[in-house]
Amino acid sequence: MEGENRMKSLMKKDSSLRRKTAGLSLLELLVTILIIGILIGVVAAVSSKFIKRAEKVKCISHMRTLHTAFLAYMQDKGHWPQMPKDQEWTESGFFKFWIISLEPYGVAQDTWLCPSDKLFMGYKKMEKKRKTEYFGSYAPTPFDDAPGTPLRWNQPWLMERGNLHGNGAHILMPDGSVQESTQAFFGR
C-alpha cells in the first residue's frame, strides 16, 4: 500500500511537471518578442547602410564609365565635346546634348543618374518622364576644343549635382579617380 501511494504521488508530480513545461509563460513570450524585435532593428540598420554603400559604389562606377566614354570620344574626335554656345540651354537640353554625344560609346541615360539621386530615381512619375526628357546627376565641365585641354589641367571632368552620399559631392578627375568634394582636388 505504501508503495502504491508513493507511486501515485510520483505520477502526480510528474504530470504537474509536464503541464508547466508544455507551454510558454507570458513573461517568456514577451522576452522572446523583445529579442526578435531587437534583432530586426539591428538587421534593418545594417541593411540600410549596405544599401547606401552599394548605391555609392554604383555611382562611382557610373562616373568611371563616363570617364572611359569621354576618353574614347576625345580619341575619336580629337577634342572634348563642344556644346553650341549660341543658344540657351534648358536642363533637359543640356543633358540631351551630353547623353547623345556619349551614346555611341555605350553610355545610356541611366549611366548619367546616380542611384542615390532620389529626385530622378524610384519615383513612378519620373519613370515616364525619363522616356521623353533627359536628366542627369553629373554635370560635365566645359573645356575648349584644344586636343589636350581636359588632360592638361587638374580640373574635374564631372561633378555630382549635390551631396547625395553625405560626404560631399563626387568629383571625377582626369585620371579617372573619383573624389569627394570635401577633399581638395587641385595641386596634386
Side-chain angles (χ1 to χ4, degrees), residues 90-158:
T90 62
E91 183 176 357
S92 182
F94 175 83
F95 283 108
K96 180 179 181 179
F97 169 80
W98 290 104
I99 291 166
I100 290 174
S101 294
L102 296 184
E103 256 180 352
Y105 304 98
V107 176
Q109 179 171 359
D110 286 344
T111 308
W112 286 87
L113 297 172
C114 174
S116 297
D117 194 346
K118 301 305 180 203
L119 181 62
F120 300 124
M121 303 300 287
Y123 293 112
K124 294 295 179 195
K125 289 189 283 185
M126 293 308 289
E127 293 295 322
K128 291 178 184 174
K129 264 188 161 181
R130 281 174 41 198
K131 293 178 182 168
T132 58
E133 295 185 37
Y134 293 87
F135 300 99
S137 302
Y138 315 113
T141 302
F143 291 106
D144 61 20
D145 60 354
T149 301
L151 298 169
R152 186 174 304 139
W153 313 111
N154 194 25
Q155 290 183 327
W157 283 11
L158 291 173

Side-chain angles (χ1 to χ4, degrees), residues 147-182:
T149 301
L151 298 169
R152 186 174 304 139
W153 313 111
N154 194 25
Q155 290 183 327
W157 283 11
L158 291 173
M159 186 166 190
E160 224 170 12
R161 63 176 195 85
N163 182 7
L164 303 176
H165 304 284
N167 294 329
H170 285 145
I171 299 170
L172 176 68
M173 301 306 289
D175 64 357
S177 65
V178 177
Q179 301 176 3
E180 294 172 344
S181 61
T182 55

Side-chain angles (χ1 to χ4, degrees), residues 24-87:
L24 293 174
S25 70
L26 183 59
L27 182 62
E28 291 169 329
L29 185 63
L30 289 174
V31 168
T32 305
I33 291 172
L34 179 68
I35 290 171
I36 291 171
I38 290 170
L39 289 174
I40 288 172
V42 168
V43 167
V46 169
S47 67
S48 72
K49 286 181 184 178
F50 282 130
I51 290 169
K52 286 180 182 178
R53 181 69 181 153
E55 288 176 346
K56 184 176 180 176
V57 167
K58 191 170 183 181
C59 174
I60 291 170
S61 173
H62 284 190
M63 293 184 92
R64 289 195 173 136
T65 300
L66 290 167
H67 180 265
T68 304
F70 277 119
L71 283 175
Y73 181 97
M74 289 189 301
Q75 188 174 12
D76 284 352
K77 311 279 188 201
H79 59 82
W80 187 260
Q82 297 296 302
M83 293 182 72
K85 295 177 181 151
D86 57 345
Q87 68 184 56

